[in-house]
Structure formats: structure tokens, C-alpha cells
């Protein structure tokens, strides 16, 4: 069964949306494998988003991601990576489909409430960024 990493961003945590967001994924059949709330340092946020290091939004994005708590969740399910991306919606909430998390809750292109891995390689990297092997094994 495929696994993917979702991160509820500070705008979602601050507005008390953790439960609503997890509920949307659960109702689509995804299972929580592991979960934690934490606050990333600026350095950790920069490491998490390292693929975007040369993009103009990198500084602002990593300031924002380190500005408050996030919730990291490993979800499991059939085609979990693609499914999660569909449930989240487009990066800019203005372009996101009706009923998607970003359409429902996103504030703007940066503060768009959720992150989801975009490929098997990034899912593996991002799961290992937040969770140790033993935390994942314990959940099986
Ligand atoms: O998150 P997603 O994969 O949909 O988008 P991305 O292109 O990988 O960008 C990562 C994150 O950077 C987005 O979710 C936004 O929070 C932020 N971003 C931004 O602030 N301004 C942009 N023009 C593009 C992305
Ligand atoms: Mg991305």
C-alpha cells in the first residue's frame, strides 16, 4: 500500500482546522499511519523545501512554515500520493477545484493550508524527514 506525507501548514493549525482536514482525508479512505505536531526551525523549513531553494518564494515560504506549528501525517492508501494531491487541490486556492482542502481553507498561494508529497521519491524523503523508522514500523 502506498504512503505519502501530508503537512498541515501553520495557517491550518492556527485556525483549529487539524481535525477537519484529517477528516476529509479519512472520509476518502486514507489511513493515518503516523502523526505528530511540531514547530520547524527556519533551517529545518529550508531543508524540507530544499528543491525550491532557487525559487523567488523560498525565503518567504520558509519564514512562513517556521512561523508556527505544523502537523505531519503519514497517510496510507491505494494511489495515496495522487489521491492526496487531488483532495488538496491546486497550489493557488483561487485555481483549486470546489470541495478541495485548498479551495475550502486556503488563504492565498503561500498560505494554502496543506502540503502533500508529489512523487514516490519525495514521499519517501519527506516521510523520513519527520518520522524515524521505528515510528513507522510501530504503526504497521
Ligand atoms: O505545494 P505544491 O506542490 O502544490 O506547490 P509547489 O510549487 O511545490 O510550492 C511549494 C509551496 O510553496 C506551495 O504550496 C506554496 O505554499 C508556496 N508557493 C508560493 O508561496 N508561491 C508560489 N508562486 C509557488 C509556491
Ligand atoms: Mg510541491
Amino acid at each position: 500500500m502506498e504512503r505519502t506525507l501530508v503537512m498541515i501548514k501553520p495557517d491550518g493549525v492556527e485556525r483549529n482546522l487539524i481535525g477537519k482536514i484529517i477528516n476529509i482525508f479519512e472520509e476518502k479512505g486514507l489511513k493515518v499511519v503516523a502523526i505528530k505536531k511540531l514547530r520547524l526551525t527556519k533551517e529545518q523549513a529550508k531543508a524540507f523545501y530544499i528543491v525550491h531553494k532557487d525559487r523567488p518564494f523560498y525565503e518567504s515560504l520558509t519564514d512562513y512554515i517556521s512561523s508556527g506549528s505544523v502537523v505531519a501525517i503519514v497517510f496510507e492508501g491505494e494511489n495515496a500520493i495522487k489521491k492526496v494531491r487531488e483532495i488538496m487541490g491546486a497550489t493557488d486556492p483561487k485555481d483549486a477545484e470546489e470541495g478541495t482542502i485548498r479551495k475550502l481553507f486556503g488563504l492565498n498561494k503561500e498560505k494554502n493550508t496543506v502540503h502533500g508529497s508529489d512523487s514516490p521519491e519525495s514521499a519517501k524523503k519527506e516521510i523520513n524527514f519527520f518520522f524515524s523508522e521505528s515510528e513507522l514500523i510501530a504503526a504497521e
Side-chain angles (χ1 to χ4, degrees), residues 9 49 85 87-94 96-97 99-116:
K9 298 182 180 183
Y49 278 115
R85 298 280 302 185
I87 296 166
M88 287 192 331
T91 307
D92 189 337
K94 286 204 290 284
E97 300 275 339
T100 61
I101 292 171
R102 284 167 166 174
K103 180 72 172 192
L104 284 167
F105 304 125
L107 298 175
N108 54 51
K109 198 168 189 177
E110 179 180 77
K111 296 178 175 57
N112 57 4
T113 317
V114 278
H115 166 89

Side-chain angles (χ1 to χ4, degrees), residues 53-78:
K53 67 176 164 40
D54 297 324
R55 307 289 289 278
F57 58 82
Y58 184 60
E59 271 309 312
S60 174
L61 172 64
T62 53
D63 277 346
Y64 159 58
I65 291 297
S66 59
S67 70
S69 295
V70 300
V71 172
I73 308 155
V74 178
F75 278 111
E76 187 173 83
E78 237 171 87

Side-chain angles (χ1 to χ4, degrees), residues 4-5 10 16 21 34 36 42 46 62 77 85-86 88 90 102 104-105 107 110 112 116 118 124 132 138:
T4 190
L5 187 282
N16 259 5
I21 291 167
K36 67 173 66 163
K42 171 77 173 173
K46 285 173 81 172
T62 53
R85 298 280 302 185
E86 284 170 4
M88 287 192 331
R102 284 167 166 174
L104 284 167
F105 304 125
L107 298 175
E110 179 180 77
N112 57 4
D118 64 2
K124 190 172 176 359
S132 67

